[in-house]
Amino acid sequence: MAMDHTIAPFPPRLLAFGVSDASPFQDLLALADLPAGTMQRISVGELDVLLAHTDDGIVATEDRCPHMSAPLSVGELDGCIVACPLHEGRFDLRSGDPAQMPTTGGLDPDGVYHPTWTPGGRSDKPDVPGRKAEARRLTRIRRIRYFPVRIAGGRILVALPSVATD
Ligand code: FES
């Protein structure tokens, strides 16, 4: 029988677009195949789902970085923080917020601008003015959005938008 503590809560306002109370739960993975501290990508149609077993339990979200869509499943999970394999962005799977802005800078979810930076204590890279710099400046990091999760019969079930399963 499922134990609720294996499912992490998420902010209700961050329910994934297209998911409602009527969305059917899909069987995505055996619970035993997602040990604590691990992540997996499961693709359903054209939707790539990230299953992460965080310190708070299992969460499901899109396997796309909220910055420029890199697969978070090949990044690193540390507690409840997932590190993107590109641009050093880190995202808190507890709150959905960025924990560290990508090196490219840009706008955070509240629209506040952050300049580009260089990791390792070196000085920040100056932005060469132009269309690319403008695109970087206006790229907004979104908050993580979540798919509801259930555990039943040793399986991880996830409610997905109907467009993913049509
Ligand atoms: S794509 Fe993830 S930090 Fe840029």
Side-chain angles (χ1 to χ4, degrees):
M1 181 62 191
M3 296 202 290
D4 283 347
H5 73 259
T6 56
I7 301 170
F10 63 82
R13 71 193 173 94
L14 295 180
L15 186 65
F17 296 113
V19 174
S20 71
D21 289 345
S23 297
F25 280 78
Q26 309 283 311
D27 181 340
L28 296 194
L29 191 68
L31 187 55
D33 290 337
L34 193 71
T38 68
M39 301 187 287
Q40 284 219 32
R41 165 186 278 219
I42 307 289
S43 296
V44 179
E46 63 181 24
L47 181 67
D48 300 313
V49 177
L50 172 74
L51 292 177
H53 196 155
T54 72
D55 281 358
D56 281 7
I58 292 170
V59 296
T61 181
E62 270 201 78
D63 190 20
R64 291 161 63 92
C65 177
H67 179 225
M68 290 185 181
S69 300
L72 293 173
S73 57
V74 296
E76 288 179 9
L77 181 63
D78 180 10
C80 290
I81 303 290
V82 61
C84 178
L86 297 180
H87 312 133
E88 310 271 343
R90 290 173 187 269
F91 303 91
D92 189 337
L93 292 173
R94 232 178 299 212
S95 64
D97 288 324
Q100 176 174 287
M101 284 293 286
T103 52
T104 53
L107 303 177
D108 67 21
D110 297 316
V112 176
Y113 175 71
H114 298 254
T116 56
W117 60 275
T118 305
R122 289 169 282 157
S123 51
D124 292 353
K125 276 195 245 171
D127 246 350
V128 181
R131 203 182 293 226
K132 265 181 147 178
E134 183 67 351
R136 264 198 303 275
R137 190 180 72 76
L138 293 176
T139 297
R140 187 201 288 255
I141 313 304
R142 301 289 180 185
R143 288 187 170 88
I144 299 267
R145 288 190 165 264
Y146 300 84
F147 303 118
V149 174
R150 281 183 191 157
I151 309 290
R155 308 286 306 177
I156 301 169
L157 312 178
V158 179
L160 301 177
S162 57
V163 68
T165 55
D166 287 344

